[in-house]
């Protein structure tokens, strides 16, 4: 069975994210290890890291990951921002390692006013630099599939495949598949046949063995819109069926799957509701799985 969770706040302490995930009956959790809209961050104390690890173990949570800052652009054509992004991503991986996380999700980057080719080459150079600077780190980089807004890279499977093919130590790099993003990028998921075709294309281009996690998000915008707007599960342009396909795909059993859907609606907390919706789609032989 997949591990279901959500992105949770670390306000009040890293362990609070684990406590909240457990309160909502989650199996896993995604966090920011720092303010995602700031470059600087204070160091994580050993006590903070241990308290988070203890909370994860106490609640039986698995596969916590972090999401890198949105300021980071490993594809930037501007040398200063590229170098700042590489430095920041090194710190992201170090913080994740300290907390015992298996992976850090990062958007591949945007080529801005350069070219797709130049952007992809910049990402590879960045990851090579990061790997050289962190030779003993176990935490992986998980490249996130993107919707393709503006000049962002990662919305075509071929772009991610190119990065994985050319980066050194590519075994340190996996993929996080975002359902909203690949749908907005033009990959259909609705019918069983569409889902199989999209996953077959992913497998032929990147390899399903590269998938480390999913972001489970419905989409406010239609197929191929290349607009990244998340919606509650089953309430957007994806509907319920794509999530049923993902959740019951034997290939992805035991993988962590994190919600990044809106947190509230009309004052009602929605993570638990979205998790319940997802679990209602899980099947066992001859009946729905109850949990």
């Amino acid at each position: 069975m997949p591990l279901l969770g959500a992105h949770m706040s670390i306000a009040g302490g890293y362990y609070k994210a684990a406590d909240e995930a457990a309160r909502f009956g989650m199996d896993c959790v995604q966090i920011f290890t720092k303010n995602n809209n700031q470059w600087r961050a204070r160091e994580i104390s050993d006590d903070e890291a241990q308290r988070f690890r203890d909370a994860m173990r106490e609640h039986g949570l698995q596969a916590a990951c972090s999401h890198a800052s949105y300021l980071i652009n490993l594809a930037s054509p501007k040398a200063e921002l590229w170098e700042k992004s590489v430095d920041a991503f090194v710190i992201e991986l170090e913080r994740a390692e300290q907390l015992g996380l298996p992976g850090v999700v990062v958007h591949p980057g945007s080529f801005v006013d350069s070219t797709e080719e130049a952007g992809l080459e910049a990402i590879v150079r960045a990851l090579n630099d990061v790997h050289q600077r962190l030779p003993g780190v176990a935490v992986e980089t998980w490249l996130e599939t993107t919707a393709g807004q503006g000049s962002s890279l990662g919305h075509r499977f071929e772009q991610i495949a190119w990065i994985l093919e050319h980066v050194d130590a590519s075994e340190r790099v996996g993929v996080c598949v975002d359902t909203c993003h690949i749908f907005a990028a033009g990959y259909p998921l609705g019918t069983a046949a569409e889902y199989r075709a999209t996953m077959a294309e992913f497998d032929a281009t990147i390899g399903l063995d590269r998938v480390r996690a999913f972001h489970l998000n419905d989409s406010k915008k239609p197929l191929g819109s290349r607009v990244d707007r998340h919606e509650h599960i089953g309430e957007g342009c994806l509907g319920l069926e794509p999530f049923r396909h993902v959740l019951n795909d034997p290939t992805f059993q035991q993988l962590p799957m994190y919600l990044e859907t809106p947190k509230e609606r009309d004052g009602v907390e929605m993570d638990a509701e979205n998790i319940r919706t997802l679990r209602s789609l899980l099947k066992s032989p001859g009946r729905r799985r109850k949990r």
Side-chain angles (χ1 to χ4, degrees):
M1 184 185 301
L3 305 172
L4 298 180
H7 188 101
M8 304 301 285
S9 171
I10 60 168
Y14 293 95
Y15 73 94
K16 291 281 192 180
D19 288 349
E20 284 295 282
R23 184 167 72 88
F24 291 129
M26 298 177 186
D27 308 307
C28 57
V29 64
Q30 176 180 277
I31 62 173
F32 291 121
T33 67
K34 55 181 283 296
N35 187 314
N36 64 301
N37 289 313
Q38 293 182 8
W39 290 103
R40 298 176 61 85
R42 65 175 182 79
E43 293 185 2
I44 302 173
S45 71
D46 291 340
D47 180 67
E48 287 176 307
Q50 188 59 53
R51 195 168 184 184
F52 173 77
R53 290 171 182 258
D54 290 345
M56 288 288 295
R57 185 167 50 252
E58 176 187 346
H59 297 307
L61 295 168
Q62 303 177 59
C65 79
S66 65
H67 196 300
S69 168
Y70 295 133
L71 299 176
I72 292 173
N73 184 6
L74 302 178
S76 177
K78 297 183 178 180
E80 182 178 357
L81 178 56
W82 182 86
E83 291 171 3
K84 196 171 186 177
S85 296
V86 171
D87 290 343
F89 193 55
V90 166
I91 292 171
E92 293 275 7
L93 290 173
E94 289 175 332
R95 294 169 75 85
E97 182 87 350
Q98 187 178 0
L99 292 169
L101 311 182
V104 176
V105 178
V106 65
H107 297 171
S110 299
F111 62 83
V112 195
D113 57 0
S114 63
T115 65
E116 176 180 324
E117 293 75 15
L120 291 171
E121 290 171 357
I123 294 167
V124 168
R125 289 199 312 274
L127 292 176
N128 286 343
D129 192 342
V130 169
H131 291 162
Q132 290 169 8
R133 290 164 63 176
L134 298 173
V137 167
V139 63
E140 295 180 345
T141 295
W142 294 349
L143 297 174
E144 182 174 351
T145 58
T146 66
Q149 288 192 176
S151 62
S152 67
L153 296 166
H155 64 284
R156 303 307 303 168
F157 295 161
E158 292 82 2
Q159 294 171 344
I160 292 178
W162 195 92
I163 296 169
L164 294 172
E165 180 182 352
H166 290 84
V167 71
D168 297 334
S170 74
E171 70 278 2
R172 297 178 63 175
V173 184
V175 179
C176 176
V177 178
D178 188 305
T179 52
C180 169
H181 295 177
I182 64 172
F183 176 77
Y187 295 100
L189 298 166
T191 68
E194 288 173 337
Y195 175 80
R196 286 195 300 268
T198 290
M199 288 304 160
E201 183 175 350
F202 187 103
D203 194 28
T205 308
I206 298 174
L208 290 173
D209 61 324
R210 289 284 193 171
V211 180
R212 298 291 184 268
F214 274 81
H215 284 163
L216 297 182
N217 302 303
D218 209 326
S219 176
K220 288 182 179 290
K221 300 298 181 178
L223 176 70
S225 64
R226 292 183 63 174
V227 177
D228 178 9
R229 295 291 184 275
H230 298 181
E231 182 57 283
H232 297 294
I233 302 300
E235 298 184 13
C237 294
L238 274 162
L240 289 176
E241 290 310 297
F243 300 100
R244 192 190 310 276
H245 302 323
V246 171
L247 291 166
N248 294 289
D249 190 330
T251 305
F252 304 129
Q253 299 304 298
Q254 304 306 313
L255 284 186
M257 299 184 178
Y258 312 98
L259 290 167
E260 292 181 321
T261 45
K263 289 292 184 183
E264 292 186 355
R265 182 172 60 197
D266 300 328
V268 177
E269 202 292 321
M270 289 299 293
D271 277 342
E273 182 62 30
N274 282 309
I275 289 286
R276 280 194 293 270
T277 299
L278 290 171
R279 287 192 172 134
S280 76
L281 302 175
L282 283 164
K283 297 177 181 178
S284 60
R287 58 182 174 84
R288 290 191 187 279
R289 184 186 301 274
K290 294 184 179 180
R291 182 158 181 160

